[in-house]
């Protein structure tokens, strides 16, 4: 299993945010990152067992083992939305029409 360190994970996040910023140039709606929460969970399991048996001059040896690593990354971004066409204010998404989509 490939592993990634904390510094590399943060740098990858930084590069993703730069790319998102570049893609947003000239778009009407802008998103600002208000808060980023990164949760890293690491679980290591290591166990082993062995057995041996001698029966009627024939040796039987059994060996078993287990090793596993689990890594979980969770990233939560809280974004603010600004409408550049409305001077940077929060966008108002509404429709004055009454009714549901099914009625159209």
């Amino acid at each position: 299993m490939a592993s990634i360190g904390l510094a590399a994970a943060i740098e990858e996040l930084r590069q993703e945010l730069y790319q998102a910023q570049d893609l947003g140039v000239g778009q009407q709606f802008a998103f600002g990152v208000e808060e980023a929460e990164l949760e890293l969970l690491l679980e290591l399991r290591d166990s082993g067992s062995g057995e041996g048996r001698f029966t009627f001059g024939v040796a039987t040896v059994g060996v078993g083992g287990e090793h596993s690593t689990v890594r979980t990354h969770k990233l939560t971004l809280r974004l603010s939305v600004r409408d550049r066409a409305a001077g940077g204010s929060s966008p108002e998404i509404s429709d004055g029409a009454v009714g549901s989509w099914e009625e159209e």
Side-chain angles (χ1 to χ4, degrees):
M1 171 181 280
S3 65
I4 182 169
L6 179 60
I10 291 174
E11 181 58 27
E12 183 68 25
L13 172 60
R14 220 180 253 122
Q15 294 304 317
E16 289 287 331
L17 289 172
Y18 291 150
Q19 183 179 5
Q21 188 176 35
D22 289 343
L23 291 172
V25 171
Q27 298 294 321
Q28 180 178 348
F29 293 113
F31 296 89
V33 178
E34 290 185 0
E35 183 178 308
E37 181 180 318
L38 180 61
E39 179 180 328
L40 302 171
L41 302 173
L42 174 65
E43 179 182 332
L44 297 173
R45 279 181 261 157
D46 197 2
S47 64
S49 65
E51 69 179 69
R53 203 170 42 213
F54 185 77
T55 308
F56 300 110
V58 177
T60 303
V61 178
V63 178
E66 174 185 316
H67 177 77
S68 62
T69 301
V70 178
R71 286 184 167 81
T72 303
H73 303 274
K74 175 185 174 184
L75 174 65
T76 304
L77 293 177
R78 204 166 94 193
L79 303 174
S80 61
V81 182
R82 299 289 175 236
D83 186 347
R84 290 179 176 150
S89 64
S90 294
E92 293 185 19
I93 310 298
S94 63
D95 185 358
V98 179
S100 67
W101 289 352
E102 288 83 24
E103 293 176 358
E104 293 180 4

